Structure formats: C-alpha cells, structure tokens
Amino acid sequence: MDGDTSAIANDGELTAIDPVCGMAVRLNAGKPSTVYHAETYHFCNPKCCDRFEADPWFYLSGNAEKKKAEPKKDTLYTCPMDPEVIRDKPDACPVCGMALEPMDGFSNEPNHELIDFTGRLKVSVAAAIPLLILTMAPMLGLPVRGVLGECRSLILEFVLATPVVVWAAWPFLSRGWASIRTWNLNMWTLIMIGVSTAYLFSTVAVLLPHLFPASLLVASGHPPVYFEAAVVIVTLVFVGQVLELRARERTGDAIRALIDLSPKTARRVLADGEEYDAPIENLMVGDRLRVRPGDTIPIDGVVVYGESAVDESMLTGEAIPVQKQPGDPVTGGTANGTGALIIDARSVGDDTMLAQIVSMVSAAQRSRVELQGLADRVAGYFVPAVVSVALFAFVVWSLIGPEPRLPFALIAAVSVLIIACPCALGLATPMSVMTATGRGARDGVLVKDAQALERLAAVDTVIFDKTGTLTEGKPRLVELQVLKNEDEREILAALLGLEAASEHPIGAAITEGLIEKGVIAAAVSGFKAVPGKGVVGSVDGQRYAVGNAALIANEATALGDFEDQASRRAAAGQTPIYIVRDGAMVAFLAVADPTKPGAKNALTALQARGLHLVMATGDHPKTAHAIGGALDIHSMYAQLLPGDKLDLVESLKAEGRTVAMVGDGINDGPALAAADVGIAMATGSDVALESAGLTILGGDLSGVTRARILAEAMVKNIKQNLVFAFAYNTVSVPIAAGLLYPVFGVLLSPMIAAAAMSLSSVSVISNALRLRRLQL
C-alpha cells in the first residue's frame, strides 16, 4: 500500500499497529486513519486518531511509552470535617456522614452527591406540594379533603410520603443507622430518628388505627398523622444539603483558579524546526517550547533564546514584570509580555511550582486549627444530650401536657431532634480554613498548616533573617584584596573552586564576580560548608578557609592588616569575608547585598499592627546595625550560628512572647521549626520551605503583612461561626422542646425546625465565604 509503511501481513490479512494504544487494526475495515509526514497511520477508534493528530511526535518518539511508565498519582478522598478519614474512592464519612471530597481539592468529575441530592430534592418537592395542599386545605377553606373523603385523603398522604421517606431520604436514613452501629452519633442520627418516628407513627395511625386509645382519635376516627412533617423535613434537609454542597464547591474556587493559570496546550519545537501545539499533559522534561508574546508560560523551564518581560504577579503579587533572558528560569502559569521566548522544560506535571502550590493549598485546607478541638469536644457530647432532651420533652408532654398529649409530645421530641442538628457546629472551622487558605494562595501566601495561620494571629514578635529575607539575596562582590607577597592567581583559583560548591547567596556572588574576572577554578578536595560561617577545603594539599570572623577565629589566625577595612565595610552595610590558607590570612573581600525594595514599608506596616521586630544574622555586628538601622528594626542580633538563632527563638518564647521566624536559608531551618510560626520566603532553600508552616511566594516582605491580616480575619471568622452555632443550638433546642408554649401557646413545628436547621448550616458557610472578598 503506497505511503503506508505501518501495514503488515497477518495470516493473509493486512493489519497495522495503532501507535496510540498498540492494538492491531485490520485495514479496509472502515477504521480511522491519518497521514503524517507522508506516512499513513491506522487507529482502532476515532479517539485514538484524535489523540495522535493532536501530538503525533509524542507517540512516534517513544515519549508516550515513557509517560505510561511513570507512576500514576491516585486520587484519595477525605472528609472536610474529619480529615483523618481517607479512602481511595468517593464514599460517606463513617464519622460524620458527610460525602468525602478529593484530597487534591479539585476533581474534573462532576459532584455525584450534588447530582444525586438534586434529583432526590425534586422528587421530595413533587410530593411535598400536594401533601401540604391536602393538610392545609381545611385551614384555607378549600374543600379538597371533603371531595376526596378523609379515608382517601389519609391513604393519599401515605402514598405520597412513602417514596420520599423510603427512597429519597434513604441516604439520610442509612447514614443515621451507620452512625448508631459505629456509635459515631451525628446529624444524621437525629434526622433519622426524627423522620422515622414521624413516618412510622403516621403509617400505623393510617393502617392500624384501632391500636390507639379513643382519647387520641380525631373526628375522622383516626389518630393525627404527620406525613407532611416527615416529607417537608426531608425536603428542607435536601434544600440545605444542596445549598451546602454548592457553597462547599466554591471553597475550591481558589484551587480551580490556580489550575486554570496553566494553559491546556504548549507550542512544541522539534529538532527539525517543526512547531505545533501539543497537549500540556504530553510534555516531558527536555522538550523545547516556544512562548509567543502574550502567551502563558506552560511549565517550569529555562530560557534558551529570546528576551521578554514576564508578569510573575501570580507568584509574587508584584505587578511589575520581570525581565527574562537566556539562562533565566521561568515558572508555569506566569504571563509572557511582548517578547518571544524559547524555553527548555525542566519541570512538568506534578513537579511544577504551580502543581506544588495547588498541592500545598489542598493540604492546608484539610488541616485543622486548635479551635476545632473545642468544637469536637462539644460535638462529642452534643448528640446524646439532644436525644436526652428529646426524650425528656416527650415524657413531660406525655404526662403533664395539654390534650391530645401524645401528638404534642411527638411534635416536641421530633422538633428537638431536627433543629439540633450539629452540622453548623462541625462546619464552623473547616469552612473558614478552606476559604482562608484559598484566599491566601491568590495573593502569594501559601499555608502549609492551618494551625500556623491560626497562631500567626496571636504573634507579637517577628524575627527576620537578613540575607535573602530583608536583603535581595543577590549580593555582589565590591571589594577584593590579596596580600602583595601572595600569588593572586593561585588564591583566586582556590577561592573560586571553594565558593562554586557553596549554596549560600554570598558564595554565588563571589563565584559570579570571579568568573567575570576570568578566573579559572582550582580542583578542591575535602569541601565542607560550615553553616553560618563559611566554607573550608583543600587545594593542592593546602587547607583553605573562606568565611566570616567566626570561622577565622576557629582557624587560629588574626585579622591582620584587613581589620580596619572590614570595620569600615561593615559600617557601610557590607559583609566582610576573609580568606585563610594554612592558618594565615592571605586575602580579604567584601560583598554588598542591598535591602529589598519595599522592605521598609512592609516592616513599618507590621510595626503599625503592634508587632516587635527583630533581625537575626550571622553577619558582622556593624553590618547588622547598618541594615537594621536603615529599616528601623527594634532589635539586632549579629554573628549568630544556626544554633544561636534557635536559642534566640527559645529565649523569646521563654519570656512569654509568641514568636514568628521569617527566613530563607538552610541555617534558618532549626529556628523556623522551633518558632510558634515559621514563615519561609519561597526564594530560599528547600530546607526552609519544609521547616515553615507558611510560605511567601516571590520573597516579597509585604506578604508577611498579608499573612497577618489573613490570620486575624480567619480566626475572627471561625469565632463568629462557633458563636453562631453555639448560640443557635442554645436558643433553638429549648424552643423546640416547648419552652414557649406555657407563655405564648407556641409549639414549634418539625417543618419549621427543619428549615431553621438547614438555614444554620448555610449561614455558617456563607459567613466563611466572606473571606474570599478579604482585602489583603
């Protein structure tokens, strides 16, 4: 077959291998095919053909097989109220009965529970309307029951109510029964008891009226029935559940917005110059991509060609675009300006910064705050207490209530069970946490642990690392002197060899400065980084030490001729560095690291919120005071090692202060972990990010202020929700039990109780959603 090299003979039949799924395809059998680079490819179905046409090179290069071999990330599901419950498929929570939600906070699948409950709500409404007409007709002067007859009317009520209670309400009843079996009593326990009691009492009253004493019979010869109450209760619970499910979906809007930042396709550039738009999920590390003017950068990569200004506000909150040129990193989700770029893909899929942000926000939304403990303790005693109150109300009404006592007793008991649903109490904190963490992500404040955000609201002291936190973290070499009797080329070669292996920003600055001078690095053995001090190693059998005065003191050498210069440089806010060879001083250099733009304004804003500011650095005391003085910081601590920073945190906590630590380096890790709240600048090391409960994207210090505002708003919102939930139940339960009847002659209907219960849950969620509009 001309131009069809994929066709092969198989038992006399021509077949081809589907390049997408690998199945054998019979030719001339009406199967789809397409031509790519003058070769015809055949497919088992149109879907495979469409996938191939969208990205032919992906399937022909072998990348598709590599992608299949990568481990797949399975979706796990958890409960928003009980995050310790984790399942591998959607289900109901065995503790509280709520539907489990995807742990990644986002699913492309429709919300099956919302779809199911909406359908059951429609059936419930369809039955509730004629039931209400039947029961309310006499009060409205309508002759409906007279036309049908009382017996037929009762049978019709039974017929209308049965599918609602037996089918539509089945999720409620099954969850309620499960809660009793596992003794995890919850809202569904109360609803099941209330609805079942009303329905079963009414059913027996219609089918077996002779079982009731004559004193309970009404004019029709039957006891009073409450089918409409059972059905309307179910209907109103469904209304509340549907509204709640829709509101809870909105707490995931922040994650959806983050995911939507990534484009669905990327323009792949092949080695032969061919270009086409490939699906984002097909990208692999090493792919070369074109980013056209105005495009969104699809993945994390490095610029290899072109220059452009990139809007990184999704990371930093800063509206000013950042200029990019070859060698500069770019982040997926950021927006390219007017220039064209070619980038190499370095991180794709779950490894991109955007995916990690989504993962962190999702994890934070599932974390619990300390205030949740109060709600949990109350909820643990709540349901048994409510059942006790309902039984007490039933007994009291049965013994001393007005006639007919039993129906009144039943109404009071059912109303207590329905109105006291603890759903609002359980939702009070999780909804606020989910909304607040999502709101923070929109402005570059990533919350790893909700407790950290909660504690931040109580912080009174903030410790700042200097390099990379208060300063830009991009120091530059401004002074370099080698003793006259030394071989400058040898010293600088050894210096470059040592600093090239260092992770510290100062090491990077020295490396960059020496490379610009054309220095070639010497081979180094025995390299070791000394946290907070510098680096040591051997070159041609000679021991070199490069670092600050603390390191040099350990090398048993004096500062010599460089002491005055070091003092002057430090007073100017620069960092003096010493080079020692075999215990003797051989060179001196100074590094300047300017403070971050807007740092002073950010710190002033924190001071205005009543916070005490402290700077902790391993730098020279004069450098620390020069930087701290320029930023109006209250207290400065210099020449601190990682252990010293940890001791500083512990000492401030011992004074009764609530301490936040802000840092970005490996040497900040212990202090970040020890502080009441650790805040990492996302420009820093992985150790800092892992040790911190909060991360500020882009390293913008104003993000610390935004985090404080968010923390205060979240805690206030949680307290509002808890107060509302407690107050609602405190007031509503006595009313439902009949407390107002002796004074006002008012007994709460179970239908009104169901409406109030649903409204309480929706009110709590609506209050939490106000955080989405918080101005940071």
Side-chain angles (χ1 to χ4, degrees):
M1 187 175 291
D2 186 36
D4 192 350
T5 59
S6 64
I8 58 174
N10 185 13
D11 294 332
E13 262 189 347
L14 282 176
T15 62
I17 300 300
D18 186 326
V20 174
C21 66
M23 291 182 61
V25 181
R26 285 192 304 127
L27 305 188
N28 303 319
K31 297 293 184 179
S33 64
T34 190
V35 177
Y36 176 68
H37 285 186
E39 184 171 344
T40 303
Y41 296 91
H42 301 270
F43 307 91
C44 63
N45 62 63
K47 288 185 178 179
C48 284
C49 183
D50 292 341
R51 290 169 64 186
F52 180 84
E53 289 179 337
D55 196 355
W57 181 84
F58 177 70
Y59 294 99
L60 300 179
S61 64
N63 277 1
E65 294 302 319
K66 295 178 184 177
K67 200 73 155 176
K68 287 180 184 177
E70 293 178 354
K72 295 294 185 293
K73 180 183 176 183
D74 296 327
T75 299
L76 297 176
Y77 297 82
T78 188
C79 175
M81 286 172 58
D82 301 281
E84 68 277 6
V85 176
I86 299 175
R87 298 289 185 270
D88 57 2
K89 61 182 179 180
D91 201 351
C93 174
V95 178
C96 70
M98 290 181 68
L100 302 184
E101 299 177 345
M103 289 184 67
D104 59 6
F106 177 79
S107 175
N108 288 320
E109 296 183 6
N111 188 325
H112 297 293
E113 185 178 45
L114 178 57
I115 295 172
D116 180 43
F117 278 19
T118 301
R120 293 175 188 270
L121 171 61
K122 292 177 181 178
V123 171
S124 302
V125 170
I129 292 174
L131 263 174
L132 286 174
I133 292 174
L134 273 172
T135 54
M136 299 293 182
M139 289 180 280
L140 299 175
L142 300 174
V144 178
R145 297 186 81 88
V147 172
L148 292 175
E150 189 62 27
C151 185
R152 289 191 182 91
S153 296
L154 291 173
I155 294 297
L156 182 57
E157 286 187 49
F158 170 74
V159 170
L160 288 170
T162 298
V164 173
V165 175
V166 174
W167 176 77
W170 180 249
F172 303 162
L173 303 181
S174 61
R175 292 176 183 181
W177 176 243
S179 71
I180 293 176
R181 281 192 298 105
T182 60
W183 208 241
N184 289 309
L185 305 181
N186 53 50
M187 60 176 284
W188 305 112
T189 314
L190 304 180
I191 292 172
M192 182 200 71
I193 295 173
V195 170
S196 299
T197 301
Y199 175 76
L200 292 175
F201 177 90
S202 301
T203 300
V204 174
V206 170
L207 301 181
L208 302 169
H210 59 277
L211 296 179
F212 293 83
S215 60
L216 285 181
L217 304 182
V218 294
S220 63
H222 287 79
V225 296
Y226 302 98
F227 288 119
E228 84 286 354
V231 170
V232 172
I233 287 168
V234 170
T235 303
L236 290 172
V237 172
F238 271 125
V239 169
Q241 286 294 295
V242 168
L243 291 174
E244 180 184 314
L245 286 167
R246 288 178 177 173
R248 275 163 48 197
E249 279 197 324
R250 293 173 62 192
T251 62
D253 285 351
I255 293 180
R256 291 184 181 86
L258 288 171
I259 292 175
D260 288 342
L261 289 173
S262 179
K264 301 299 181 284
T265 61
R267 191 156 190 83
R268 180 184 278 131
V269 180
L270 301 182
D272 61 3
E274 180 185 355
E275 298 182 14
Y276 64 93
D277 291 331
I280 193 78
E281 62 270 16
N282 290 355
L283 296 184
M284 304 281 285
V285 173
D287 281 351
R288 185 155 288 193
L289 310 171
R290 180 181 295 279
V291 183
R292 293 164 292 195
D295 281 356
T296 297
I297 295 173
I299 44 77
D300 298 352
V302 173
V303 177
V304 295
Y305 178 81
E307 294 186 5
S308 184
V310 175
D311 180 359
E312 295 186 334
S313 57
M314 59 82 69
L315 283 178
T316 64
E318 287 290 331
I320 301 174
V322 179
Q323 194 68 27
K324 299 291 182 179
Q325 56 190 7
D328 289 340
V330 290
T331 304
T334 55
N336 186 29
T338 57
L341 301 174
I342 300 290
I343 64 173
D344 268 342
R346 296 294 174 88
S347 298
V348 299
D350 293 337
D351 296 329
T352 63
M353 171 70 80
L354 189 58
Q356 291 173 29
I357 291 173
V358 170
S359 177
M360 186 180 289
V361 173
S362 299
Q365 289 186 335
R366 298 189 305 273
S367 59
R368 297 162 73 87
V369 295
E370 293 171 2
L371 284 170
Q372 179 70 39
L374 173 63
D376 290 344
R377 288 193 296 273
V378 172
Y381 298 103
F382 187 76
V383 175
V386 168
V387 173
S388 300
V389 172
L391 290 173
F392 178 76
F394 183 85
V395 171
V396 171
W397 277 93
S398 299
L399 295 177
I400 61 175
E403 295 293 346
R405 291 176 180 175
L406 187 60
F408 277 142
L410 183 64
I411 289 173
V414 171
S415 295
V416 169
L417 292 170
I418 297 299
I419 203 168
C421 167
C423 188
L425 184 61
L427 289 171
T429 58
M431 291 300 106
S432 296
V433 169
M434 292 176 71
T435 308
T437 51
R439 177 66 188 89
R442 281 165 45 197
D443 266 27
V445 179
L446 293 189
V447 181
K448 182 180 177 182
D449 179 8
Q451 282 193 12
L453 188 62
E454 180 186 27
R455 289 193 294 268
L456 182 59
V459 161
D460 53 36
T461 303
V462 183
I463 303 174
F464 290 91
D465 170 53
K466 181 180 74 70
T467 304
T469 302
L470 296 175
T471 63
E472 291 183 352
K474 297 178 181 178
R476 54 190 177 85
L477 187 61
V478 294
E479 175 74 10
L480 175 58
Q481 291 186 21
V482 178
L483 288 177
K484 292 180 180 179
N485 58 341
E486 296 292 342
D487 185 339
E488 180 174 318
R489 186 168 62 178
E490 175 189 315
I491 300 296
L492 297 186
L495 176 61
L496 178 57
L498 286 163
E499 294 295 354
S502 173
E503 55 78 34
H504 199 278
I506 289 179
I510 296 172
T511 299
E512 184 178 348
L514 294 177
I515 290 175
E516 288 177 356
K517 292 177 178 292
V519 177
I520 299 175
V524 176
S525 62
F527 173 85
K528 180 183 178 182
V530 184
K533 294 183 178 180
V535 296
V536 296
S538 296
V539 178
D540 294 332
Q542 296 177 306
R543 176 181 171 83
Y544 279 84
V546 182
N548 58 22
L551 179 67
I552 303 311
N554 291 337
E555 295 296 316
T557 186
L559 300 182
D561 298 338
F562 298 125
E563 187 168 1
D564 290 340
Q565 291 187 54
S567 182
R568 288 196 302 271
R569 291 289 182 178
Q574 299 172 6
T575 301
I577 304 293
Y578 310 94
I579 300 95
V580 172
R581 182 187 62 207
D582 289 337
M585 186 77 66
V586 294
F588 166 82
L589 54 89
V591 171
D593 186 12
T595 58
K596 288 181 177 179
K600 186 170 183 178
N601 290 338
L603 297 181
T604 300
L606 289 172
Q607 289 173 332
R609 304 189 77 84
L611 295 173
H612 179 75
L613 306 185
V614 177
M615 183 175 72
T617 178
D619 216 331
H620 194 284
K622 290 188 176 180
T623 305
H625 282 83
I627 298 293
L631 296 176
D632 291 334
I633 292 178
H634 303 130
S635 306
M636 282 83 72
Y637 296 84
Q639 291 184 328
L640 300 185
L641 301 178
D644 298 327
K645 292 183 179 180
L646 173 60
D647 292 340
L648 175 61
V649 170
E650 297 290 3
S651 66
L652 289 172
K653 290 172 66 175
E655 293 175 8
R657 294 181 179 272
T658 305
V659 180
M661 173 70 194
V662 185
D664 74 326
I666 289 176
N667 59 343
D668 298 322
L672 286 167
D676 294 293
V677 182
I679 304 175
M681 312 306 277
T683 50
S685 70
D686 291 340
V687 174
L689 299 181
E690 287 299 320
S691 303
L694 302 176
T695 299
I696 307 300
L697 291 178
D700 179 13
L701 278 172
S702 63
V704 180
T705 308
R706 294 196 295 271
R708 171 74 173 203
I709 295 171
L710 180 66
E712 292 173 344
M714 184 192 76
V715 170
K716 181 180 178 181
N717 193 268
I718 290 174
K719 290 179 178 178
Q720 289 171 344
N721 283 347
L722 288 175
V723 168
F724 176 82
F726 284 133
Y728 164 80
N729 285 296
T730 301
V731 173
S732 64
V733 170
I735 293 175
L739 188 64
L740 299 181
Y741 189 86
V743 180
F744 301 102
V746 175
L747 185 60
L748 195 66
S749 163
M751 292 182 287
I752 301 300
M757 179 272 292
S758 298
L759 181 63
S760 69
S761 299
V762 174
S763 298
V764 164
I765 295 174
S766 299
N767 186 52
L769 290 175
R770 290 192 306 111
L771 291 172
R772 297 168 72 226
R773 301 189 297 273
L774 179 67
Q775 294 298 317
L776 298 181

